[in-house]
Amino acid sequence: MNFSSDNVTGVAPEIMAALVATNQDAATPYGEDRATQRLQDRFSELFENEVAVFPVVTGSAANSLALSVLTPPFGAIYCHEVSHINLDECGAPEFYTGGAKLVTLKGEAGKISSADLAKQLATAGTGVVHRVQPAAVSITQATEAGTVYSLDEVRAIAQVTHSHNLKLHVDGARFANALVTLGCTPAEATWKAGVDVLSFGATKNGAMAAEAVIFFEPELAASLGYRRKRSGHLLSKMRFLSAQLEAYLQDDLWLKNGAFANLMADRLATGLAAIPGVELRYPVQANEIFVYLPETVITELFASGFKFYRWEPGGDISLVRLVTAFNTQPDAIAAFVETVKSCLIIP
Amino acid sequence: MNFSSDNVTGVAPEIMAALVATNQDAATPYGEDRATQRLQDRFSELFENEVAVFPVVTGSAANSLALSVLTPPFGAIYCHEVSHINLDECGAPEFYTGGAKLVTLKGEAGKISSADLAKQLATAGTGVVHRVQPAAVSITQATEAGTVYSLDEVRAIAQVTHSHNLKLHVDGARFANALVTLGCTPAEATWKAGVDVLSFGATKNGAMAAEAVIFFEPELAASLGYRRKRSGHLLSKMRFLSAQLEAYLQDDLWLKNGAFANLMADRLATGLAAIPGVELRYPVQANEIFVYLPETVITELFASGFKFYRWEPGGDISLVRLVTAFNTQPDAIAAFVETVKSCLIIP
Amino acid sequence: MNFSSDNVTGVAPEIMAALVATNQDAATPYGEDRATQRLQDRFSELFENEVAVFPVVTGSAANSLALSVLTPPFGAIYCHEVSHINLDECGAPEFYTGGAKLVTLKGEAGKISSADLAKQLATAGTGVVHRVQPAAVSITQATEAGTVYSLDEVRAIAQVTHSHNLKLHVDGARFANALVTLGCTPAEATWKAGVDVLSFGATKNGAMAAEAVIFFEPELAASLGYRRKRSGHLLSKMRFLSAQLEAYLQDDLWLKNGAFANLMADRLATGLAAIPGVELRYPVQANEIFVYLPETVITELFASGFKFYRWEPGGDISLVRLVTAFNTQPDAIAAFVETVKSCLIIP
Amino acid sequence: MNFSSDNVTGVAPEIMAALVATNQDAATPYGEDRATQRLQDRFSELFENEVAVFPVVTGSAANSLALSVLTPPFGAIYCHEVSHINLDECGAPEFYTGGAKLVTLKGEAGKISSADLAKQLATAGTGVVHRVQPAAVSITQATEAGTVYSLDEVRAIAQVTHSHNLKLHVDGARFANALVTLGCTPAEATWKAGVDVLSFGATKNGAMAAEAVIFFEPELAASLGYRRKRSGHLLSKMRFLSAQLEAYLQDDLWLKNGAFANLMADRLATGLAAIPGVELRYPVQANEIFVYLPETVITELFASGFKFYRWEPGGDISLVRLVTAFNTQPDAIAAFVETVKSCLIIP
């Protein structure tokens, strides 16, 4: 009954089992173990191309490490104004880059548009010493609004990005949820569409604490190992991090978990949208629902034990966010919808 | 048979059990969960004083976060030249402090002396704008040489440190091993002896990836939460990190594990020292042994399946490091000694 | 005939004379000379309070050094979106603060409003570790639009700033021009209105390369000396920098120069505004004029030898910026107006 | 009578004259003026090769900017333990590089040896993520001990430096004094001997505040313009900085000034060395003399109005430093020697 976030969840049983299974014998530390070595092949296979993979424990670390190799200290990173890197990481990208600037773009439903990006870059002052120098574009897939960039949208952004000699980073904290919606291959969703670096999230979708920075041009990653160590993100018992990622990929667990979360979100959204007086804020394309609810309903939901965030508190009506996950109970979905109905539909 | 390091070990069964047990229900993320809340009390009780505790996944993160609140960007940190922060963290303290300088001291057996420290600080240029400003002293307990600072030594260093208005940090990656040797309380080994901040290690002694920054003056820690987040070290599913630390303290597991590792080291050292032609480099006071062995012996040991590092490769004789751990097999100790004996003692 | 900027000017004769006069005998370096010592008293007298003064050679250095002591690495600085610190210093504030974030506000005529500031700060997430922490507000006086904040406006911004425990910085690259317009004392324009730190500009108003960071609470400046040295801004022959500032204050040269530049701007603005087809963009309150001119006129002006910037190139009509200075020739003003007239008024 | 340093001097008359002469008309700011443009050609001609030149106001800025493009944040800079960058710049290289580490070497007479450097680099851990990565070597020419590296010494250091893929920086705060001693061309003393970047000093040898970063591989300097701006070192009225450098090179003023300072130092050293009880610490090869003097003599010298630093205070005898400059009075030299004589030679 907790729809606050997908990070309130525990660990998927398959992943916990992998951790237990990994706990045998000694292993070479700092990523020189076999599980970590296997990851390179495993991800290269998954993405149909040779990639460089760096496991870390948080999405903030993944994003910031990725951006730190794309952006010089005097660089600029273009991103949506509500992006996690801009709003929710306490300045991590600025820290890791040595003081780069995040230049924010507005955009409906959590998305930046290639047109707005092109417009901004056209007057950014490339080559002018007084101005921070455009270096990277970062988009979030799925977005903070629970929407998903179409492949055409990604391609258009990548085209603008590359035409200005910038690199394209994707914050994929909910990449599995996005990929399920896109219905394409991981390769199609990333480097084939022009993505240069991906923060590949697993924590929100069933891992304990596991993300991976994935470079589609491995040579871009030359300094990443040093930067990861220097930021305290090179685990000595790395195999326990790598084991999570291996289990996450094993038998498409990541896609199954993502698909289930999306299904639950779709069911919840459909149920709510059918109720008069309830309005969805954005199309529901992944596992997050933004919905306007009367405060009377919100009060009743809280009283019934549901947990979630008022995203934008209003007067009579507030915008709330509901997040589903790999282990959401279908019963909880039904109960939530029923509770709302009971408040709003006069029998 | 792997004596390379205590970080080649897996996870202590009690800690793995705690992780499994934690994996139930949803929990508030980012450390607002109950397990993390309990840690504050648990550590305050352990140290007989109110402390501020910040769990992180690596010792490098713990050390650098700790030092970053003690040292301004134009500050200097005094440490042993072979300390982990100076040699083995790829510049993490410099990164986290925004460019502070590590000023290194020599010293036998991995220890700095209060006299050398006093001498250095006397000519450090405090208040002179041309010079980096002394801000912190960092010692390692147990040291990189497998020795342990006596309480008198800690107190003397703390006295010099504080008389210059600096703060004293202890890198306690092997704090349990040191404490067992000291035979005193955690409080006596730290704040009662003048320690201001401790990196409390658990990973090398049985955790999966868990350390804690412990401030004995909680007000010193005001900015730590932001710095941890900003460096990507605030885990969303923090309870799985806190659970490791809780289990680590539960029923004195940490001390039992440390005592066992020390015992194995003592047994190994005693066995080796009794063999003619074998010379210990430092007193063995924790779980690390530095010993000179003929290369012929080293070759035989490797051939027999033992793993360890040549610390200082020599010609005929090299210095090797042997590290024991909470799960070292007594049989492996005996086998190692026997192998050395078989090479060196002509029957 | 060069209205491009007030930094295209040379050095005021009084200041050049002071440099020549200073060039005698030897002097203690690094600001321990008498001229620099005198500055402390001279500025304290000028501001009717004890201040701490740090001369530097550029406004970017002054601004960034000032902000670096007000803002932790995880802090946020609130400023206008077109402010120099945000747009024109290649990320200097981010560099000096170790990665703080500049949060930008919109606002007519180059000014932020206290109401907008209050609104932003109300939702800034103070105390929330995920968010950068509000630390400073920076306004520009006179603004980048050639306008001047009224004392009431400054006071209102300071009130909001201080009510959130932030500090207020003023970028006074054109402080003399602003003060002349305000017609109040330096103290009234700064600390009496709630300003905590001022970048006191002199270069644009007649110095060779001289600005001063002025702290109205001297204890705030404790680390400034180290930060200035560390950034390479502590001149060995500091007396030649201090001498510029002394001469700048001597006999109110700074106010005379500022008043003259303002007068020239007023005359130019008045002359232009009287011409049909010419429209001023902002009220002219200092020494900058933003005016819409037809491209035909702009072409003619360039052909006649006038220099200035197209600020916002348009189609038929562009916005241009004209800047007057302490040594603007009245004849050039008249000639400029006449040229515009000759293009637009059919005889 | 002030032998404290060569930075206690004023401005050479030729350079002051150039500043006065430059003060005419308006000029494009930020280095787009003609004087600054000419410098590129002037220095390229001087060094017999195309170089990239960046004027700045201090040696600390020159050194740190140079090192910041040679060294990543996780890099190491090898230098002498008494080098200015290590001891006297309050951590400026660490600041500008984003936290690189200065690894110090000992060495007689202020010089590092290529052999020691080779030894250090052999065990530096190149390619090992735990270790900061060797990136640059920085030597000082003339050294802090008033000695001069021979061309053979520079070449040997450069050879070691380049064989490890590092770059060689020279802190040439007293480059003119060194060059005069070497008796070779500027090209021979720098890029022909393997120097990659030079901090070309002028301030100590007659300028007001002028140094230049000179890249012998211009492509290395790609980011320097941004870094200079971002650090607040791009002067708006740059022509007044460039004019100093132009005048400094004009008619070999720099070499004349350097030769004169060296001559004065030689005369002073020769005079002192002839006195029984006086011992020179290092060979005098530039314009600095380190000499042991009895405290009774030091007291008498101070009483007679001479100024200089006790470099290493002792008991009865201290090491003092005497620095000559372009404008040292020959009479002062004679008087100093006579005063020492009068104390030590019993008539």
mmCIF file of all heavy atoms in Angstrom, chain C residues 8-11 23 26-27 58 88 91-92 96 203 207 230-233 237 239, chain D residues 8-11 23 26-27 58 88 91-92 96 203 207 229-233 237 239:
data_model
loop_
_atom_site.group_PDB
_atom_site.id
_atom_site.type_symbol
_atom_site.label_atom_id
_atom_site.label_comp_id
_atom_site.label_asym_id
_atom_site.label_seq_id
_atom_site.Cartn_x
_atom_site.Cartn_y
_atom_site.Cartn_z
ATOM 1 N N VAL C 8 36.344 49.575 -22.562
ATOM 2 C CA VAL C 8 37.224 49.882 -23.697
ATOM 3 C C VAL C 8 38.069 51.115 -23.388
ATOM 4 O O VAL C 8 38.968 51.461 -24.152
ATOM 5 C CB VAL C 8 36.437 50.125 -25.014
ATOM 6 C CG1 VAL C 8 35.564 48.928 -25.333
ATOM 7 C CG2 VAL C 8 35.625 51.405 -24.945
ATOM 8 N N THR C 9 37.747 51.749 -22.287
ATOM 9 C CA THR C 9 38.461 52.979 -21.933
ATOM 10 C C THR C 9 39.862 52.674 -21.415
ATOM 11 O O THR C 9 40.170 51.552 -21.021
ATOM 12 C CB THR C 9 37.707 53.727 -20.819
ATOM 13 O OG1 THR C 9 37.608 52.855 -19.688
ATOM 14 C CG2 THR C 9 36.318 54.109 -21.268
ATOM 15 N N GLY C 10 40.673 53.721 -21.383
ATOM 16 C CA GLY C 10 41.984 53.593 -20.760
ATOM 17 C C GLY C 10 41.894 53.909 -19.280
ATOM 18 O O GLY C 10 40.871 53.653 -18.642
ATOM 19 N N VAL C 11 42.945 54.479 -18.757
ATOM 20 C CA VAL C 11 43.058 54.770 -17.335
ATOM 21 C C VAL C 11 42.865 56.264 -17.117
ATOM 22 O O VAL C 11 43.416 57.077 -17.861
ATOM 23 C CB VAL C 11 44.442 54.329 -16.820
ATOM 24 C CG1 VAL C 11 44.586 54.606 -15.333
ATOM 25 C CG2 VAL C 11 44.660 52.852 -17.130
ATOM 26 N N ASN C 23 55.707 54.453 -7.938
ATOM 27 C CA ASN C 23 56.891 53.720 -8.397
ATOM 28 C C ASN C 23 58.183 54.285 -7.825
ATOM 29 O O ASN C 23 59.040 54.755 -8.560
ATOM 30 C CB ASN C 23 56.926 53.723 -9.922
ATOM 31 C CG ASN C 23 57.905 52.681 -10.440
ATOM 32 O OD1 ASN C 23 58.249 51.748 -9.729
ATOM 33 N ND2 ASN C 23 58.360 52.869 -11.658
ATOM 34 N N ALA C 26 61.504 50.672 -2.508
ATOM 35 C CA ALA C 26 61.033 49.302 -2.376
ATOM 36 C C ALA C 26 59.848 49.275 -1.417
ATOM 37 O O ALA C 26 59.658 50.196 -0.632
ATOM 38 C CB ALA C 26 62.158 48.426 -1.825
ATOM 39 N N ALA C 27 59.047 48.238 -1.508
ATOM 40 C CA ALA C 27 57.915 48.117 -0.593
ATOM 41 C C ALA C 27 57.720 46.643 -0.257
ATOM 42 O O ALA C 27 57.995 45.763 -1.078
ATOM 43 C CB ALA C 27 56.653 48.668 -1.227
ATOM 44 N N THR C 58 40.163 41.873 -11.133
ATOM 45 C CA THR C 58 38.986 41.772 -12.001
ATOM 46 C C THR C 58 37.702 41.643 -11.182
ATOM 47 O O THR C 58 37.724 41.193 -10.027
ATOM 48 C CB THR C 58 39.047 40.534 -12.933
ATOM 49 O OG1 THR C 58 38.922 39.348 -12.146
ATOM 50 C CG2 THR C 58 40.309 40.485 -13.757
ATOM 51 N N ASP C 88 28.483 35.500 -17.811
ATOM 52 C CA ASP C 88 29.673 36.063 -18.456
ATOM 53 C C ASP C 88 30.986 35.756 -17.765
ATOM 54 O O ASP C 88 31.992 36.408 -18.023
ATOM 55 C CB ASP C 88 29.498 37.583 -18.566
ATOM 56 C CG ASP C 88 28.300 37.947 -19.415
ATOM 57 O OD1 ASP C 88 28.228 37.456 -20.544
ATOM 58 O OD2 ASP C 88 27.430 38.703 -18.944
ATOM 59 N N GLY C 91 31.643 30.366 -15.554
ATOM 60 C CA GLY C 91 31.526 29.450 -14.414
ATOM 61 C C GLY C 91 32.450 29.764 -13.259
ATOM 62 O O GLY C 91 32.717 28.893 -12.423
ATOM 63 N N ALA C 92 32.919 30.982 -13.173
ATOM 64 C CA ALA C 92 33.833 31.335 -12.082
ATOM 65 C C ALA C 92 33.230 31.094 -10.693
ATOM 66 O O ALA C 92 33.896 30.528 -9.824
ATOM 67 C CB ALA C 92 34.295 32.781 -12.232
ATOM 68 N N TYR C 96 35.052 28.744 -7.885
ATOM 69 C CA TYR C 96 35.534 29.221 -6.583
ATOM 70 C C TYR C 96 34.783 28.606 -5.402
ATOM 71 O O TYR C 96 35.339 28.471 -4.316
ATOM 72 C CB TYR C 96 35.451 30.749 -6.515
ATOM 73 C CG TYR C 96 36.627 31.430 -7.157
ATOM 74 C CD1 TYR C 96 36.767 31.482 -8.536
ATOM 75 C CD2 TYR C 96 37.626 32.010 -6.392
ATOM 76 C CE1 TYR C 96 37.864 32.097 -9.131
ATOM 77 C CE2 TYR C 96 38.720 32.634 -6.980
ATOM 78 C CZ TYR C 96 38.838 32.675 -8.345
ATOM 79 O OH TYR C 96 39.921 33.280 -8.926
ATOM 80 N N THR C 203 37.507 49.405 -12.295
ATOM 81 C CA THR C 203 38.103 49.292 -13.626
ATOM 82 C C THR C 203 37.272 49.998 -14.694
ATOM 83 O O THR C 203 37.796 50.748 -15.522
ATOM 84 C CB THR C 203 38.275 47.811 -14.009
ATOM 85 O OG1 THR C 203 38.968 47.134 -12.957
ATOM 86 C CG2 THR C 203 39.043 47.670 -15.305
ATOM 87 N N ALA C 207 39.943 52.941 -13.510
ATOM 88 C CA ALA C 207 41.156 52.251 -13.068
ATOM 89 C C ALA C 207 41.723 51.406 -14.206
ATOM 90 O O ALA C 207 41.078 51.190 -15.234
ATOM 91 C CB ALA C 207 40.859 51.382 -11.855
ATOM 92 N N ARG C 230 45.308 31.532 -3.055
ATOM 93 C CA ARG C 230 45.142 30.230 -3.704
ATOM 94 C C ARG C 230 44.626 30.344 -5.140
ATOM 95 O O ARG C 230 44.797 29.438 -5.948
ATOM 96 C CB ARG C 230 44.132 29.481 -2.835
ATOM 97 C CG ARG C 230 43.660 28.179 -3.311
ATOM 98 C CD ARG C 230 42.718 27.684 -2.212
ATOM 99 N NE ARG C 230 42.088 26.436 -2.535
ATOM 100 C CZ ARG C 230 42.695 25.266 -2.538
ATOM 101 N NH1 ARG C 230 43.954 25.184 -2.237
ATOM 102 N NH2 ARG C 230 42.031 24.179 -2.845
ATOM 103 N N SER C 231 43.975 31.441 -5.425
ATOM 104 C CA SER C 231 43.449 31.636 -6.777
ATOM 105 C C SER C 231 44.404 32.483 -7.620
ATOM 106 O O SER C 231 44.076 32.833 -8.752
ATOM 107 C CB SER C 231 42.073 32.298 -6.711
ATOM 108 O OG SER C 231 42.148 33.550 -6.073
ATOM 109 N N GLY C 232 45.571 32.798 -7.042
ATOM 110 C CA GLY C 232 46.554 33.553 -7.807
ATOM 111 C C GLY C 232 46.244 35.033 -7.899
ATOM 112 O O GLY C 232 46.719 35.716 -8.808
ATOM 113 N N HIS C 233 45.446 35.537 -6.958
ATOM 114 C CA HIS C 233 45.049 36.942 -7.023
ATOM 115 C C HIS C 233 45.704 37.827 -5.970
ATOM 116 O O HIS C 233 45.256 38.954 -5.761
ATOM 117 C CB HIS C 233 43.524 37.072 -6.962
ATOM 118 C CG HIS C 233 42.862 36.766 -8.261
ATOM 119 N ND1 HIS C 233 42.930 37.602 -9.340
ATOM 120 C CD2 HIS C 233 42.161 35.683 -8.681
ATOM 121 C CE1 HIS C 233 42.269 37.080 -10.359
ATOM 122 N NE2 HIS C 233 41.800 35.904 -9.992
ATOM 123 N N LYS C 237 53.425 42.850 -6.049
ATOM 124 C CA LYS C 237 53.566 44.320 -5.987
ATOM 125 C C LYS C 237 52.188 44.957 -5.824
ATOM 126 O O LYS C 237 51.742 45.765 -6.645
ATOM 127 C CB LYS C 237 54.281 44.820 -7.241
ATOM 128 C CG LYS C 237 55.688 44.218 -7.410
ATOM 129 C CD LYS C 237 56.414 44.769 -8.626
ATOM 130 C CE LYS C 237 57.803 44.144 -8.759
ATOM 131 N NZ LYS C 237 58.504 44.578 -9.995
ATOM 132 N N ARG C 239 51.015 47.159 -4.037
ATOM 133 C CA ARG C 239 50.832 48.614 -3.891
ATOM 134 C C ARG C 239 50.350 49.279 -5.174
ATOM 135 O O ARG C 239 49.689 50.317 -5.131
ATOM 136 C CB ARG C 239 52.138 49.254 -3.443
ATOM 137 C CG ARG C 239 53.286 48.972 -4.400
ATOM 138 C CD ARG C 239 54.572 49.637 -3.937
ATOM 139 N NE ARG C 239 55.714 48.911 -4.494
ATOM 140 C CZ ARG C 239 56.892 49.462 -4.718
ATOM 141 N NH1 ARG C 239 57.071 50.730 -4.419
ATOM 142 N NH2 ARG C 239 57.877 48.749 -5.231
ATOM 143 N N VAL D 8 60.151 43.195 -4.059
ATOM 144 C CA VAL D 8 59.992 44.460 -3.325
ATOM 145 C C VAL D 8 60.267 45.649 -4.236
ATOM 146 O O VAL D 8 60.051 46.794 -3.853
ATOM 147 C CB VAL D 8 60.924 44.544 -2.089
ATOM 148 C CG1 VAL D 8 60.697 43.353 -1.173
ATOM 149 C CG2 VAL D 8 62.383 44.644 -2.503
ATOM 150 N N THR D 9 60.746 45.345 -5.428
ATOM 151 C CA THR D 9 61.093 46.424 -6.349
ATOM 152 C C THR D 9 59.846 47.062 -6.957
ATOM 153 O O THR D 9 58.752 46.489 -6.910
ATOM 154 C CB THR D 9 61.940 45.868 -7.515
ATOM 155 O OG1 THR D 9 61.175 44.859 -8.177
ATOM 156 C CG2 THR D 9 63.221 45.256 -7.004
ATOM 157 N N GLY D 10 60.070 48.229 -7.537
ATOM 158 C CA GLY D 10 58.987 48.857 -8.278
ATOM 159 C C GLY D 10 59.016 48.392 -9.734
ATOM 160 O O GLY D 10 59.394 47.251 -10.017
ATOM 161 N N VAL D 11 58.616 49.279 -10.608
ATOM 162 C CA VAL D 11 58.492 48.964 -12.029
ATOM 163 C C VAL D 11 59.669 49.591 -12.785
ATOM 164 O O VAL D 11 60.023 50.745 -12.527
ATOM 165 C CB VAL D 11 57.159 49.520 -12.568
ATOM 166 C CG1 VAL D 11 56.993 49.192 -14.042
ATOM 167 C CG2 VAL D 11 55.997 48.968 -11.755
ATOM 168 N N ASN D 23 48.123 54.271 -22.673
ATOM 169 C CA ASN D 23 46.890 54.894 -22.187
ATOM 170 C C ASN D 23 46.333 55.919 -23.154
ATOM 171 O O ASN D 23 46.217 57.094 -22.836
ATOM 172 C CB ASN D 23 47.144 55.523 -20.821
ATOM 173 C CG ASN D 23 45.832 55.840 -20.127
ATOM 174 O OD1 ASN D 23 44.799 55.266 -20.462
ATOM 175 N ND2 ASN D 23 45.883 56.757 -19.180
ATOM 176 N N ALA D 26 40.547 54.184 -27.121
ATOM 177 C CA ALA D 26 39.852 53.015 -26.626
ATOM 178 C C ALA D 26 40.455 51.771 -27.272
ATOM 179 O O ALA D 26 41.113 51.846 -28.305
ATOM 180 C CB ALA D 26 38.371 53.101 -26.976
ATOM 181 N N ALA D 27 40.251 50.636 -26.628
ATOM 182 C CA ALA D 27 40.749 49.381 -27.209
ATOM 183 C C ALA D 27 39.767 48.271 -26.895
ATOM 184 O O ALA D 27 39.099 48.294 -25.866
ATOM 185 C CB ALA D 27 42.119 49.034 -26.639
ATOM 186 N N THR D 58 49.980 37.111 -12.060
ATOM 187 C CA THR D 58 50.849 36.544 -11.017
ATOM 188 C C THR D 58 51.462 35.224 -11.468
ATOM 189 O O THR D 58 50.915 34.526 -12.337
ATOM 190 C CB THR D 58 50.083 36.254 -9.698
ATOM 191 O OG1 THR D 58 49.168 35.178 -9.921
ATOM 192 C CG2 THR D 58 49.352 37.474 -9.176
ATOM 193 N N ASP D 88 54.372 27.667 -1.414
ATOM 194 C CA ASP D 88 54.109 29.102 -1.269
ATOM 195 C C ASP D 88 52.891 29.606 -2.015
ATOM 196 O O ASP D 88 52.748 30.809 -2.221
ATOM 197 C CB ASP D 88 55.347 29.879 -1.738
ATOM 198 C CG ASP D 88 56.559 29.559 -0.895
ATOM 199 O OD1 ASP D 88 56.450 29.664 0.329
ATOM 200 O OD2 ASP D 88 57.597 29.172 -1.464
ATOM 201 N N GLY D 91 48.150 26.153 -1.994
ATOM 202 C CA GLY D 91 47.361 25.102 -2.639
ATOM 203 C C GLY D 91 46.765 25.491 -3.972
ATOM 204 O O GLY D 91 45.810 24.852 -4.439
ATOM 205 N N ALA D 92 47.318 26.496 -4.615
ATOM 206 C CA ALA D 92 46.764 26.921 -5.907
ATOM 207 C C ALA D 92 46.746 25.805 -6.955
ATOM 208 O O ALA D 92 45.730 25.623 -7.644
ATOM 209 C CB ALA D 92 47.528 28.138 -6.434
ATOM 210 N N TYR D 96 43.311 24.683 -8.899
ATOM 211 C CA TYR D 96 43.103 24.791 -10.335
ATOM 212 C C TYR D 96 42.948 23.436 -11.027
ATOM 213 O O TYR D 96 42.295 23.332 -12.067
ATOM 214 C CB TYR D 96 44.255 25.571 -10.978
ATOM 215 C CG TYR D 96 44.076 27.066 -10.886
ATOM 216 C CD1 TYR D 96 44.265 27.731 -9.681
ATOM 217 C CD2 TYR D 96 43.706 27.820 -11.981
ATOM 218 C CE1 TYR D 96 44.092 29.104 -9.582
ATOM 219 C CE2 TYR D 96 43.528 29.201 -11.897
ATOM 220 C CZ TYR D 96 43.722 29.833 -10.699
ATOM 221 O OH TYR D 96 43.539 31.187 -10.607
ATOM 222 N N THR D 203 57.398 39.931 -13.480
ATOM 223 C CA THR D 203 57.165 40.819 -12.329
ATOM 224 C C THR D 203 58.418 41.031 -11.494
ATOM 225 O O THR D 203 58.760 42.162 -11.129
ATOM 226 C CB THR D 203 56.046 40.243 -11.439
ATOM 227 O OG1 THR D 203 54.900 39.957 -12.242
ATOM 228 C CG2 THR D 203 55.666 41.215 -10.340
ATOM 229 N N ALA D 207 58.560 44.167 -14.187
ATOM 230 C CA ALA D 207 57.176 44.483 -14.545
ATOM 231 C C ALA D 207 56.385 44.866 -13.294
ATOM 232 O O ALA D 207 56.845 44.690 -12.162
ATOM 233 C CB ALA D 207 56.525 43.306 -15.249
ATOM 234 N N LYS D 229 39.645 32.682 -17.876
ATOM 235 C CA LYS D 229 38.458 33.501 -17.622
ATOM 236 C C LYS D 229 37.787 33.073 -16.330
ATOM 237 O O LYS D 229 37.432 33.880 -15.475
ATOM 238 C CB LYS D 229 37.475 33.346 -18.777
ATOM 239 C CG LYS D 229 36.133 34.056 -18.554
ATOM 240 C CD LYS D 229 36.293 35.561 -18.488
ATOM 241 C CE LYS D 229 35.041 36.241 -17.930
ATOM 242 N NZ LYS D 229 35.209 37.685 -17.819
ATOM 243 N N ARG D 230 37.615 31.786 -16.196
ATOM 244 C CA ARG D 230 36.901 31.183 -15.079
ATOM 245 C C ARG D 230 37.590 31.424 -13.735
ATOM 246 O O ARG D 230 36.971 31.348 -12.688
ATOM 247 C CB ARG D 230 36.862 29.686 -15.382
ATOM 248 C CG ARG D 230 36.331 28.787 -14.359
ATOM 249 C CD ARG D 230 36.405 27.393 -14.997
ATOM 250 N NE ARG D 230 35.986 26.354 -14.103
ATOM 251 C CZ ARG D 230 34.742 26.133 -13.725
ATOM 252 N NH1 ARG D 230 33.791 26.900 -14.184
ATOM 253 N NH2 ARG D 230 34.447 25.153 -12.908
ATOM 254 N N SER D 231 38.871 31.699 -13.801
ATOM 255 C CA SER D 231 39.601 31.967 -12.565
ATOM 256 C C SER D 231 39.732 33.470 -12.309
ATOM 257 O O SER D 231 40.406 33.877 -11.363
ATOM 258 C CB SER D 231 40.987 31.317 -12.633
ATOM 259 O OG SER D 231 41.729 31.835 -13.712
ATOM 260 N N GLY D 232 39.088 34.258 -13.158
ATOM 261 C CA GLY D 232 39.118 35.701 -12.947
ATOM 262 C C GLY D 232 40.408 36.348 -13.391
ATOM 263 O O GLY D 232 40.732 37.442 -12.940
ATOM 264 N N HIS D 233 41.124 35.687 -14.285
ATOM 265 C CA HIS D 233 42.417 36.229 -14.700
ATOM 266 C C HIS D 233 42.429 36.790 -16.128
ATOM 267 O O HIS D 233 43.488 37.025 -16.690
ATOM 268 C CB HIS D 233 43.518 35.173 -14.542
ATOM 269 C CG HIS D 233 43.979 35.039 -13.133
ATOM 270 N ND1 HIS D 233 44.734 35.996 -12.508
ATOM 271 C CD2 HIS D 233 43.743 34.089 -12.199
ATOM 272 C CE1 HIS D 233 44.978 35.624 -11.260
ATOM 273 N NE2 HIS D 233 44.393 34.477 -11.040
ATOM 274 N N LYS D 237 40.932 45.277 -19.433
ATOM 275 C CA LYS D 237 41.880 46.194 -20.087
ATOM 276 C C LYS D 237 43.226 45.493 -20.238
ATOM 277 O O LYS D 237 44.265 45.967 -19.758
ATOM 278 C CB LYS D 237 41.993 47.477 -19.272
ATOM 279 C CG LYS D 237 40.656 48.220 -19.140
ATOM 280 C CD LYS D 237 40.800 49.532 -18.400
ATOM 281 C CE LYS D 237 39.435 50.221 -18.280
ATOM 282 N NZ LYS D 237 39.519 51.464 -17.468
ATOM 283 N N ARG D 239 45.276 45.185 -22.494
ATOM 284 C CA ARG D 239 46.422 45.826 -23.174
ATOM 285 C C ARG D 239 47.467 46.353 -22.181
ATOM 286 O O ARG D 239 48.640 46.459 -22.515
ATOM 287 C CB ARG D 239 45.931 46.966 -24.054
ATOM 288 C CG ARG D 239 45.128 48.002 -23.284
ATOM 289 C CD ARG D 239 44.669 49.131 -24.200
ATOM 290 N NE ARG D 239 43.499 49.778 -23.617
ATOM 291 C CZ ARG D 239 43.156 51.024 -23.854
ATOM 292 N NH1 ARG D 239 43.874 51.758 -24.668
ATOM 293 N NH2 ARG D 239 42.096 51.542 -23.299
#
